[in-house]
């Protein structure tokens, strides 16, 4: 490959008439989107990313991957779809969104070392882990890539980095120089970070149930107890030996054989008819909230009923100490006139499920920033609407900190929150609700119509809203949002906004 003046390969900038575009349906990376092997490879890549001290610190401080892994997975998948799509305008817009998101993530790790999510060398390492894990995935499944395919795919990943950073200079220009670069970072820069340990030894063991398994905690817990350690062992065995040795990761007997068997088995999916596997459809189906109007929800409902029956049977066969599963109807409380299911949460539940977005046991600015990030992502906001929403959440954080941070440590503990039993509906939260309404009301009509409602809640109007003029007014929206955020009420459809896994 020849090299352009800015350090990116010429294939990155101007493919010839005989070369397929680096982005779009003909790209090599696009072919992995619906490949089951990619589920294993992406976990491996994430561990290698988290093992970098800059990435690890940013994940621990800012990421929702522990408390809301399914939401994080869906958002990451959709972002990659946009970045590797054929439309350059969509890629440019998504790259700008990602850069704004990363620009808001900086700080210091537990050892006082500064981190910055916009650090160019660190961003290059993230892209490098994706490329190397894709190559390793093919090798472990018995389908190694030939040299020409690897060259082509490496050009795609460098073009991806160039879309974010303006060039790809932080990655070697030639594929032959990539392995020495990768080995050097593994040997000299990666560490046994807290984030990497969480992914390997905590995330799988405590993975919250997706929406599909909400009504079957026993079945989910039983499956997770078996699958969690297996996934952890497979991931550890697939990591570079130099990192395993440096991080002191355990050598599990038989893990190498298990890991190779898992990749080979996942690779057999290539024999399935085309179209049978669609990652986006699978992710959507497991995360569809209760009561969704999605046409596929009828099938999901039938599957969810079978899951609940299997869970009940499992509990009868192997009763747990926690007592019988609660009947949702017994905890829901009265159904309001609007027809939506509501119930009361304890202060502890509200803190854990809604406020503590990062899952670290404390409420601080990254938690509210995660709320702003999720809402901005759902609504696909541009500047300046995104900044207005972040600013509103920042003002709310200052109000919360002043009211609840009793020991002055800059964050609010679950105990401080529960002891105060606060009414959170102050002026700053009202402002959050108003800004969110304006961001949702795309056409500026002063009401939220059915399409705008679906963009925010990912479901259609409830019957009470569809009645009459079929719109959602500002005062009703603000009142409902404040009721959910301050009264600690479970609420459909507000729960999936911030409390979903």
């Amino acid at each position: 490959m020849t090299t352009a003046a800015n350090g990116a390969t010429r294939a990155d900038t101007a493919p010839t008439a005989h070369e397929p575009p680096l982005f779009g349906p003909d790209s090599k990376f696009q072919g992995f989107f619906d490949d089951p092997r990619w589920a294993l490879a992406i976990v491996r890549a994430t561990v290698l990313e988290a093992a970098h001290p800059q990435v690890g610190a940013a994940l621990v401080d800012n990421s929702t991957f522990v408390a809301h892994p399914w939401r994080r997975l869906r958002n990451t998948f959709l972002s990659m779809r946009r970045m590797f799509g054929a439309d350059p305008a969509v890629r440019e817009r998504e790259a700008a969104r990602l850069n704004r998101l990363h620009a808001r993530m900086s700080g210091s790790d537990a050892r006082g070392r500064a981190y910055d999510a916009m650090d160019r060398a660190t961003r290059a390492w993230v892209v490098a882990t994706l490329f190397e894990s894709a190559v390793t995935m093919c090798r472990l499944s018995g389908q190694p890539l030939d040299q020409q395919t690897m060259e082509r795919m490496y050009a795609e990943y460098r073009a991806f980095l160039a879309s974010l950073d303006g060039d790809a200079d932080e990655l070697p220009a030639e594929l032959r120089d990539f392995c020495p670069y990768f080995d050097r970072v593994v040997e000299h820069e990666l560490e046994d970070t807290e984030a990497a340990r969480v992914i390997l030894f905590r995330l799988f063991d405590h993975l919250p149930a997706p929406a599909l398994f909400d009504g079957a905690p026993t079945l989910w817990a039983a499956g997770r107890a078996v699958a969690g350690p297996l996934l952890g062992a497979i991931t550890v065995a697939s990591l570079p030996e130099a990192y395993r040795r440096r991080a002191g990761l355990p050598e599990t007997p038989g893990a190498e054989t298990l890991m190779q068997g898992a990749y080979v088995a996942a690779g057999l999916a290539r024999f399935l008819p085309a179209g049978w596997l669609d990652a986006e459809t699978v992710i959507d189906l497991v995360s569809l909230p209760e009561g969704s109007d999605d046409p596929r929800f009828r099938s999901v409902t039938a599957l969810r009923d079978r899951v609940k029956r299997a869970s009940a049977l499992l509990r009868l066969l192997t009763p747990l100490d926690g007592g019988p599963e609660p009947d949702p109807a017994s905890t829901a409380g009265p159904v309001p006139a609007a027809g939506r299911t509501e119930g009361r949460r304890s202060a502890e539940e509200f803190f854990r499920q809604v406020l503590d977005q990062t899952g670290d046991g404390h409420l601080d600015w990254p938690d509210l920033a995660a709320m702003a990030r999720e809402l901005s992502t759902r609504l696909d906001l541009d500047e300046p609407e995104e900044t207005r929403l972040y600013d509103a959440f920042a003002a709310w954080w200052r109000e919360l900190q002043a009211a609840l941070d009793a020991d002055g440590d800059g964050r609010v503990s679950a105990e401080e929150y529960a002891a105060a039993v606060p009414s959170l509906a102050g002026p700053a939260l009202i402002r959050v609700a108003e800004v969110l309404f304006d961001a949702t009301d795309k056409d500026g009509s002063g009401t939220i119509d059915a399409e705008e409602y679906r963009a925010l809640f990912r479901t259609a109007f409830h019957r009470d809203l569809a009645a009459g003029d079929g719109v959602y007014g500002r005062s009703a929206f603000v009142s409902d949002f404040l009721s959910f955020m301050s009264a600690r009420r479970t609420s459909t459809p507000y729960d999936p906004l911030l409390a979903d896994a």
Side-chain angles (χ1 to χ4, degrees), residues 284-307:
D284 284 344
L285 287 178
V286 299
S287 59
L288 281 176
E290 189 76 36
S292 173
D293 67 306
D294 191 295
R296 298 166 296 183
F297 186 72
R298 183 175 300 175
S299 299
V300 173
T301 300
L303 179 58
R304 188 174 279 159
D305 290 341
R306 291 185 176 90
V307 166

Side-chain angles (χ1 to χ4, degrees), residues 70-367:
W70 300 107
R71 188 174 78 192
R72 170 71 186 272
L73 172 65
R74 185 179 191 277
N75 290 343
T76 300
F77 182 84
L78 293 179
S79 178
M80 295 296 284
R81 280 280 200 195
R82 293 170 181 170
M83 287 300 298
F84 278 89
D87 190 339
V90 172
R91 288 200 306 274
E92 182 178 347
R93 188 168 184 268
E94 181 63 13
R97 187 189 72 83
L98 290 174
N99 285 334
R100 292 196 305 270
L101 183 154
H102 292 147
R104 295 185 172 100
M105 296 182 184
S106 60
S108 299
D109 66 10
R111 294 165 55 181
R113 298 175 297 182
Y115 70 83
D116 184 350
M118 290 295 287
D119 179 74
R120 286 166 55 84
T122 305
R123 284 153 70 96
W125 172 248
V126 171
V127 175
T129 64
L130 293 171
F131 169 73
E132 192 273 346
S133 291
V135 173
T136 299
M137 165 188 92
C138 294
R139 175 176 56 81
L140 292 177
S141 60
Q143 305 171 54
L145 301 176
D146 58 58
Q147 184 68 20
Q148 183 179 3
T149 301
M150 282 194 291
E151 293 270 3
R152 169 69 185 180
M153 193 165 69
Y154 187 57
E156 293 174 4
Y157 278 91
R158 295 192 79 241
F160 170 46
L161 179 61
S163 297
L164 293 172
D165 278 359
D167 59 55
D169 289 348
E170 294 295 336
L171 282 178
E174 303 291 342
L175 177 61
R176 64 173 176 266
D177 298 320
F178 176 81
C179 284
Y181 153 80
F182 186 87
D183 292 342
R184 177 185 59 78
V185 175
V186 170
E187 189 70 43
H188 300 290
E189 297 186 35
L190 299 192
E191 298 177 0
D192 182 20
T193 63
E194 179 186 353
R197 286 272 172 177
V198 166
I199 296 170
L200 287 172
F201 303 117
R202 178 183 163 193
L203 181 60
F204 296 142
D205 290 343
H206 299 83
L207 191 68
L212 178 62
F213 290 87
D214 270 348
T218 304
L219 183 63
W220 177 257
R224 184 180 58 190
V226 175
L230 290 178
L231 286 172
I234 290 169
T235 304
V236 169
S238 70
L239 295 173
E241 183 181 355
Y243 177 69
R244 297 204 309 266
R245 183 177 62 252
R246 180 170 180 162
L249 296 177
E251 296 280 348
T252 305
E256 289 280 345
T257 302
L258 176 65
M259 176 262 296
Q260 291 181 347
Y263 274 94
V264 170
L268 295 177
R270 69 186 186 278
F271 296 113
L272 292 175
W276 275 37
L277 292 175
D278 184 279
E280 188 168 357
T281 298
V282 172
I283 292 173
D284 284 344
L285 287 178
V286 299
S287 59
L288 281 176
E290 189 76 36
S292 173
D293 67 306
D294 191 295
R296 298 166 296 183
F297 186 72
R298 183 175 300 175
S299 299
V300 173
T301 300
L303 179 58
R304 188 174 279 159
D305 290 341
R306 291 185 176 90
V307 166
K308 289 179 180 179
R309 287 197 293 271
S311 181
L313 177 61
L314 181 63
R315 178 169 286 277
L316 288 173
L317 295 175
T318 57
L320 301 178
D321 293 337
E325 294 182 12
D327 179 2
S330 67
T331 60
V335 177
R340 281 169 282 178
T341 303
E342 296 193 2
R344 295 290 296 182
R345 277 193 184 95
S346 68
E348 179 183 349
E349 288 175 322
F350 184 74
F351 187 94
R352 175 175 52 84
Q353 295 177 359
V354 179
L355 296 180
D356 184 15
Q357 291 284 304
T358 60
D360 63 357
H362 293 85
L363 172 64
D364 53 12
W365 166 239
D367 295 302

Side-chain angles (χ1 to χ4, degrees), residues 38 40-50 126 129-130 133 239:
W38 191 238
L40 299 172
I42 198 68
V43 175
R44 177 184 185 275
T46 303
V47 172
L48 290 172
E49 294 170 19
V126 171
T129 64
L130 293 171
S133 291
L239 295 173

